[in-house]
Amino acid sequence: YGRPAFVHSVRDITAQILGRQITLQLMAQGYESLYLIDVSEDSCAPYTLREDDIVDIGESLSLPTMLDHIASGHMASDAYAEFTSALSLSTIVSSLEADSRYTYPYDWSQDGTLYRKRADFGYLNDMRSTILFSISDITEQYRRDRDQINHLRSAMRTAEIANHAKSTFLSSISHDMRTSLNGIIGFTNLALATDDVDERQRCLQNIESSGTLLLGLLNDTLDLSRIESGSFSLNPTACDTADMLREVISSIQEIADEKGVTFVVDRSKGHRGFVMIDRLGVQKIYLNLLSNAIK
């Protein structure tokens, strides 16, 4: 008698704690809608967070009906059909059998503005009786990713253009190099075959001229920065036209002789003296025109 009475009460708050943990995680991920899918009933109920707890805020509907509420009027007919097929219960369950998480990104429009959404699915318990279904707005992330992809595509196009310019340049310069090199080889053979001192001296002068031209072409080729950028700039210098033409003629003459082509140079109509030109550029033009004519 006279002893106080004690009342013991035990309440299972596991579901409440689990609900808070799930919701807090979803909030950290930026979710905007939350649903629980009852696998056995094929039903879907909307939930939200109130006072750090997960709360049922609407009646449970069939999953197809809930999807219709989410997407109807916000998608084109073909996108809507793909959306409902990708988010059918059978598709979700089969996807979760292969992986612990199933995601599906989609476009969603409202008042003329297009948004990018992502639906995420995962089992809520080991019994696999309930699926947590959340929707997140990933528009900003999607735009950043798309801008990055466009940037990479632009960089690829720029690289392709640069590679094309490089290939064109190397194809052209190799043609000019072969012309000069053939002249060097031809005059070298002539110098080796003759005992005439004057003729040998003439061959050596022609070899020097062709070698100087070839060196300029090589230096032009090794300027990789210009090749890759596809740019070209003139480098005008004071040039003796007689010396410049002699270098070109010496490279072309031997090729013409080998092919049995008569090559005549009429110097009487040519301007002699010093001019401001890009010597190598003009020589390349002469080489291209004359070697093509001989071919």
Side-chain angles (χ1 to χ4, degrees), residues 9-50:
S9 175
V10 177
R11 183 164 61 96
D12 189 349
I13 60 171
T14 303
Q16 180 181 358
I17 293 175
L18 183 60
R20 289 178 180 176
Q21 292 175 340
I22 293 171
T23 308
L24 289 173
Q25 288 181 8
L26 290 171
M27 286 188 68
Q29 296 174 9
Y31 91 98
E32 62 179 26
S33 300
L34 175 64
Y35 306 87
L36 291 182
I37 300 174
D38 188 319
V39 177
S40 61
E41 298 292 335
D42 192 10
S43 62
C44 182
Y47 284 78
T48 191
L49 177 70
R50 286 180 185 168

Short mmCIF file of all heavy atoms in Angstrom, two decimals, residues 9-50:
data_model
loop_
_atom_site.label_atom_id
_atom_site.label_comp_id
_atom_site.label_asym_id
_atom_site.label_seq_id
_atom_site.Cartn_x
_atom_site.Cartn_y
_atom_site.Cartn_z
N SER A 9 5.56 2.06 -21.26
CA SER A 9 5.03 2.17 -22.62
C SER A 9 6.18 2.05 -23.61
O SER A 9 7.19 2.74 -23.47
CB SER A 9 4.31 3.51 -22.81
OG SER A 9 3.89 3.66 -24.15
N VAL A 10 6.04 1.19 -24.58
CA VAL A 10 7.06 0.97 -25.60
C VAL A 10 6.44 1.25 -26.97
O VAL A 10 5.37 0.72 -27.28
CB VAL A 10 7.61 -0.46 -25.57
CG1 VAL A 10 8.63 -0.66 -26.70
CG2 VAL A 10 8.25 -0.75 -24.23
N ARG A 11 7.13 2.09 -27.76
CA ARG A 11 6.60 2.43 -29.07
C ARG A 11 7.70 2.22 -30.11
O ARG A 11 8.84 2.68 -29.93
CB ARG A 11 6.13 3.88 -29.10
CG ARG A 11 5.49 4.31 -30.43
CD ARG A 11 4.70 5.61 -30.25
NE ARG A 11 5.57 6.70 -29.82
CZ ARG A 11 6.13 7.60 -30.64
NH1 ARG A 11 5.91 7.50 -31.94
NH2 ARG A 11 6.90 8.58 -30.16
N ASP A 12 7.39 1.51 -31.14
CA ASP A 12 8.38 1.25 -32.21
C ASP A 12 8.47 2.49 -33.11
O ASP A 12 7.51 2.85 -33.78
CB ASP A 12 7.92 0.04 -33.03
CG ASP A 12 9.02 -0.40 -34.01
OD1 ASP A 12 10.00 0.36 -34.18
OD2 ASP A 12 8.86 -1.47 -34.62
N ILE A 13 9.64 3.14 -33.10
CA ILE A 13 9.83 4.36 -33.90
C ILE A 13 10.81 4.11 -35.05
O ILE A 13 11.34 5.05 -35.63
CB ILE A 13 10.33 5.52 -33.02
CG1 ILE A 13 11.68 5.16 -32.39
CG2 ILE A 13 9.31 5.89 -31.97
CD1 ILE A 13 12.33 6.34 -31.69
N THR A 14 11.03 2.82 -35.35
CA THR A 14 11.97 2.50 -36.43
C THR A 14 11.54 3.12 -37.75
O THR A 14 12.34 3.74 -38.46
CB THR A 14 12.07 0.97 -36.60
OG1 THR A 14 12.47 0.40 -35.35
CG2 THR A 14 13.09 0.62 -37.68
N ALA A 15 10.25 2.97 -38.08
CA ALA A 15 9.74 3.51 -39.35
C ALA A 15 9.88 5.02 -39.39
O ALA A 15 10.22 5.61 -40.42
CB ALA A 15 8.28 3.09 -39.53
N GLN A 16 9.63 5.66 -38.24
CA GLN A 16 9.72 7.11 -38.19
C GLN A 16 11.16 7.58 -38.43
O GLN A 16 11.42 8.50 -39.19
CB GLN A 16 9.22 7.62 -36.84
CG GLN A 16 9.27 9.14 -36.69
CD GLN A 16 8.78 9.59 -35.33
OE1 GLN A 16 8.38 8.78 -34.51
NE2 GLN A 16 8.84 10.89 -35.10
N ILE A 17 12.10 6.91 -37.76
CA ILE A 17 13.52 7.27 -37.93
C ILE A 17 13.97 7.01 -39.36
O ILE A 17 14.66 7.82 -39.98
CB ILE A 17 14.38 6.49 -36.93
CG1 ILE A 17 14.07 6.93 -35.49
CG2 ILE A 17 15.86 6.68 -37.24
CD1 ILE A 17 14.79 6.12 -34.44
N LEU A 18 13.56 5.85 -39.89
CA LEU A 18 13.92 5.51 -41.25
C LEU A 18 13.35 6.54 -42.23
O LEU A 18 14.02 6.97 -43.17
CB LEU A 18 13.41 4.11 -41.60
CG LEU A 18 13.77 3.58 -43.00
CD1 LEU A 18 15.28 3.52 -43.17
CD2 LEU A 18 13.14 2.22 -43.23
N GLY A 19 12.11 6.93 -41.98
CA GLY A 19 11.48 7.93 -42.84
C GLY A 19 12.23 9.24 -42.83
O GLY A 19 12.43 9.88 -43.86
N ARG A 20 12.67 9.67 -41.64
CA ARG A 20 13.42 10.93 -41.55
C ARG A 20 14.75 10.82 -42.30
O ARG A 20 15.16 11.73 -43.00
CB ARG A 20 13.68 11.26 -40.08
CG ARG A 20 12.42 11.68 -39.32
CD ARG A 20 12.75 11.96 -37.88
NE ARG A 20 11.55 12.35 -37.13
CZ ARG A 20 11.54 12.58 -35.83
NH1 ARG A 20 12.66 12.45 -35.13
NH2 ARG A 20 10.42 12.94 -35.21
N GLN A 21 15.43 9.69 -42.11
CA GLN A 21 16.72 9.51 -42.77
C GLN A 21 16.57 9.53 -44.29
O GLN A 21 17.34 10.19 -45.00
CB GLN A 21 17.36 8.19 -42.34
CG GLN A 21 17.79 8.18 -40.87
CD GLN A 21 18.30 6.83 -40.45
OE1 GLN A 21 18.01 5.81 -41.10
NE2 GLN A 21 19.06 6.79 -39.37
N ILE A 22 15.57 8.83 -44.79
CA ILE A 22 15.34 8.79 -46.23
C ILE A 22 15.03 10.18 -46.76
O ILE A 22 15.59 10.63 -47.76
CB ILE A 22 14.19 7.82 -46.57
CG1 ILE A 22 14.61 6.37 -46.24
CG2 ILE A 22 13.80 7.94 -48.04
CD1 ILE A 22 13.48 5.39 -46.34
N THR A 23 14.16 10.89 -46.09
CA THR A 23 13.74 12.20 -46.57
C THR A 23 14.87 13.20 -46.53
O THR A 23 15.05 14.02 -47.44
CB THR A 23 12.55 12.71 -45.72
OG1 THR A 23 11.54 11.70 -45.69
CG2 THR A 23 11.97 13.96 -46.34
N LEU A 24 15.67 13.16 -45.45
CA LEU A 24 16.80 14.08 -45.36
C LEU A 24 17.81 13.82 -46.48
O LEU A 24 18.38 14.76 -47.04
CB LEU A 24 17.47 13.95 -43.99
CG LEU A 24 16.66 14.51 -42.80
CD1 LEU A 24 17.34 14.16 -41.49
CD2 LEU A 24 16.49 16.03 -42.94
N GLN A 25 18.02 12.56 -46.80
CA GLN A 25 18.92 12.23 -47.90
C GLN A 25 18.38 12.76 -49.22
O GLN A 25 19.12 13.32 -50.04
CB GLN A 25 19.13 10.72 -47.99
CG GLN A 25 19.98 10.15 -46.87
CD GLN A 25 20.16 8.66 -47.01
OE1 GLN A 25 19.77 8.08 -48.02
NE2 GLN A 25 20.75 8.03 -46.00
N LEU A 26 17.09 12.59 -49.41
CA LEU A 26 16.48 13.07 -50.65
C LEU A 26 16.53 14.58 -50.75
O LEU A 26 16.74 15.14 -51.83
CB LEU A 26 15.03 12.57 -50.74
CG LEU A 26 14.87 11.07 -50.97
CD1 LEU A 26 13.42 10.67 -50.82
CD2 LEU A 26 15.38 10.70 -52.36
N MET A 27 16.33 15.26 -49.63
CA MET A 27 16.41 16.72 -49.63
C MET A 27 17.82 17.18 -49.99
O MET A 27 18.01 18.15 -50.73
CB MET A 27 16.03 17.28 -48.26
CG MET A 27 14.53 17.22 -47.96
SD MET A 27 14.14 18.09 -46.44
CE MET A 27 14.47 19.78 -46.92
N ALA A 28 18.82 16.44 -49.49
CA ALA A 28 20.20 16.79 -49.81
C ALA A 28 20.48 16.60 -51.30
O ALA A 28 21.31 17.29 -51.89
CB ALA A 28 21.16 15.94 -48.99
N GLN A 29 19.75 15.69 -51.92
CA GLN A 29 19.91 15.43 -53.35
C GLN A 29 19.06 16.38 -54.19
O GLN A 29 19.11 16.35 -55.42
CB GLN A 29 19.54 13.98 -53.67
CG GLN A 29 20.47 12.97 -53.02
CD GLN A 29 20.00 11.54 -53.22
OE1 GLN A 29 19.08 11.28 -54.00
NE2 GLN A 29 20.64 10.61 -52.52
N GLY A 30 18.25 17.20 -53.56
CA GLY A 30 17.45 18.19 -54.28
C GLY A 30 16.17 17.63 -54.88
O GLY A 30 15.73 18.09 -55.92
N TYR A 31 15.56 16.66 -54.22
CA TYR A 31 14.33 16.10 -54.76
C TYR A 31 13.19 17.10 -54.61
O TYR A 31 13.19 17.97 -53.76
CB TYR A 31 14.00 14.79 -54.05
CG TYR A 31 13.10 14.95 -52.83
CD1 TYR A 31 11.73 14.74 -52.94
CD2 TYR A 31 13.62 15.34 -51.60
CE1 TYR A 31 10.91 14.90 -51.83
CE2 TYR A 31 12.82 15.50 -50.51
CZ TYR A 31 11.45 15.29 -50.62
OH TYR A 31 10.64 15.46 -49.54
N GLU A 32 12.21 16.98 -55.48
CA GLU A 32 11.05 17.87 -55.39
C GLU A 32 9.74 17.10 -55.21
O GLU A 32 8.75 17.67 -54.80
CB GLU A 32 10.94 18.74 -56.65
CG GLU A 32 10.74 17.96 -57.94
CD GLU A 32 10.63 18.86 -59.15
OE1 GLU A 32 11.17 19.99 -59.11
OE2 GLU A 32 9.99 18.45 -60.13
N SER A 33 9.75 15.81 -55.50
CA SER A 33 8.55 14.99 -55.29
C SER A 33 8.98 13.62 -54.77
O SER A 33 10.02 13.09 -55.18
CB SER A 33 7.76 14.82 -56.59
OG SER A 33 7.36 16.07 -57.09
N LEU A 34 8.15 13.07 -53.90
CA LEU A 34 8.47 11.79 -53.27
C LEU A 34 7.23 10.90 -53.25
O LEU A 34 6.13 11.35 -52.93
CB LEU A 34 8.96 12.02 -51.84
CG LEU A 34 9.24 10.78 -50.99
CD1 LEU A 34 10.38 9.96 -51.59
CD2 LEU A 34 9.58 11.20 -49.56
N TYR A 35 7.42 9.61 -53.61
CA TYR A 35 6.31 8.67 -53.66
C TYR A 35 6.79 7.33 -53.12
O TYR A 35 7.98 7.01 -53.17
CB TYR A 35 5.82 8.46 -55.10
CG TYR A 35 5.46 9.74 -55.83
CD1 TYR A 35 6.43 10.45 -56.52
CD2 TYR A 35 4.15 10.23 -55.81
CE1 TYR A 35 6.12 11.63 -57.18
CE2 TYR A 35 3.84 11.41 -56.48
CZ TYR A 35 4.82 12.11 -57.16
OH TYR A 35 4.50 13.27 -57.80
N LEU A 36 5.83 6.57 -52.58
CA LEU A 36 6.09 5.19 -52.17
C LEU A 36 5.22 4.28 -53.01
O LEU A 36 4.00 4.47 -53.09
CB LEU A 36 5.80 5.01 -50.68
CG LEU A 36 6.76 5.70 -49.71
CD1 LEU A 36 6.37 5.38 -48.27
CD2 LEU A 36 8.21 5.28 -49.95
N ILE A 37 5.85 3.30 -53.63
CA ILE A 37 5.13 2.36 -54.48
C ILE A 37 4.98 1.04 -53.75
O ILE A 37 5.96 0.45 -53.30
CB ILE A 37 5.88 2.13 -55.81
CG1 ILE A 37 6.04 3.45 -56.57
CG2 ILE A 37 5.15 1.11 -56.67
CD1 ILE A 37 6.89 3.32 -57.83
N ASP A 38 3.75 0.57 -53.63
CA ASP A 38 3.46 -0.73 -53.05
C ASP A 38 3.51 -1.74 -54.19
O ASP A 38 2.65 -1.74 -55.08
CB ASP A 38 2.07 -0.74 -52.39
CG ASP A 38 1.81 -2.02 -51.61
OD1 ASP A 38 2.18 -3.10 -52.12
OD2 ASP A 38 1.24 -1.94 -50.51
N VAL A 39 4.52 -2.59 -54.17
CA VAL A 39 4.75 -3.50 -55.29
C VAL A 39 3.59 -4.48 -55.46
O VAL A 39 3.14 -4.73 -56.59
CB VAL A 39 6.07 -4.26 -55.10
CG1 VAL A 39 6.28 -5.27 -56.23
CG2 VAL A 39 7.24 -3.29 -55.02
N SER A 40 3.11 -5.03 -54.37
CA SER A 40 2.04 -6.03 -54.47
C SER A 40 0.73 -5.44 -54.97
O SER A 40 -0.04 -6.09 -55.68
CB SER A 40 1.83 -6.71 -53.11
OG SER A 40 1.44 -5.74 -52.14
N GLU A 41 0.46 -4.18 -54.60
CA GLU A 41 -0.80 -3.53 -54.99
C GLU A 41 -0.67 -2.72 -56.28
O GLU A 41 -1.68 -2.26 -56.81
CB GLU A 41 -1.25 -2.59 -53.86
CG GLU A 41 -1.54 -3.29 -52.54
CD GLU A 41 -2.76 -4.19 -52.63
OE1 GLU A 41 -3.63 -3.93 -53.51
OE2 GLU A 41 -2.84 -5.16 -51.84
N ASP A 42 0.58 -2.54 -56.74
CA ASP A 42 0.82 -1.66 -57.90
C ASP A 42 0.20 -0.28 -57.67
O ASP A 42 -0.42 0.30 -58.55
CB ASP A 42 0.26 -2.28 -59.19
CG ASP A 42 0.75 -1.54 -60.45
OD1 ASP A 42 1.64 -0.68 -60.32
OD2 ASP A 42 0.23 -1.82 -61.54
N SER A 43 0.37 0.22 -56.47
CA SER A 43 -0.20 1.52 -56.10
C SER A 43 0.92 2.48 -55.73
O SER A 43 2.02 2.06 -55.37
CB SER A 43 -1.17 1.37 -54.93
OG SER A 43 -0.49 0.89 -53.79
N CYS A 44 0.62 3.76 -55.82
CA CYS A 44 1.63 4.79 -55.59
C CYS A 44 1.01 5.90 -54.76
O CYS A 44 -0.07 6.41 -55.09
CB CYS A 44 2.14 5.32 -56.93
SG CYS A 44 3.43 6.56 -56.80
N ALA A 45 1.67 6.31 -53.67
CA ALA A 45 1.16 7.34 -52.78
C ALA A 45 2.18 8.45 -52.65
O ALA A 45 3.38 8.18 -52.48
CB ALA A 45 0.83 6.77 -51.41
N PRO A 46 1.75 9.73 -52.71
CA PRO A 46 2.69 10.85 -52.57
C PRO A 46 3.01 11.14 -51.10
O PRO A 46 2.14 11.05 -50.23
CB PRO A 46 1.93 12.01 -53.21
CG PRO A 46 0.49 11.67 -52.99
CD PRO A 46 0.38 10.17 -53.05
N TYR A 47 4.26 11.52 -50.86
CA TYR A 47 4.70 11.86 -49.51
C TYR A 47 5.48 13.17 -49.56
O TYR A 47 5.94 13.63 -50.61
CB TYR A 47 5.58 10.75 -48.92
CG TYR A 47 4.81 9.54 -48.46
CD1 TYR A 47 4.33 8.60 -49.37
CD2 TYR A 47 4.55 9.33 -47.10
CE1 TYR A 47 3.61 7.50 -48.95
CE2 TYR A 47 3.83 8.22 -46.68
CZ TYR A 47 3.37 7.32 -47.60
OH TYR A 47 2.64 6.22 -47.18
N THR A 48 5.67 13.75 -48.38
CA THR A 48 6.48 14.95 -48.27
C THR A 48 7.11 14.99 -46.88
O THR A 48 6.86 14.11 -46.04
CB THR A 48 5.65 16.22 -48.51
OG1 THR A 48 6.54 17.33 -48.64
CG2 THR A 48 4.70 16.48 -47.35
N LEU A 49 7.91 16.02 -46.63
CA LEU A 49 8.58 16.17 -45.35
C LEU A 49 7.93 17.29 -44.55
O LEU A 49 7.77 18.40 -45.04
CB LEU A 49 10.06 16.50 -45.57
CG LEU A 49 10.88 16.77 -44.30
CD1 LEU A 49 11.05 15.49 -43.51
CD2 LEU A 49 12.24 17.36 -44.66
N ARG A 50 7.54 16.97 -43.34
CA ARG A 50 6.99 17.97 -42.43
C ARG A 50 7.61 17.77 -41.06
O ARG A 50 7.54 16.68 -40.50
CB ARG A 50 5.46 17.84 -42.32
CG ARG A 50 4.71 18.34 -43.56
CD ARG A 50 3.22 18.19 -43.39
NE ARG A 50 2.49 18.55 -44.61
CZ ARG A 50 1.20 18.28 -44.80
NH1 ARG A 50 0.51 17.67 -43.84
NH2 ARG A 50 0.62 18.63 -45.92
#
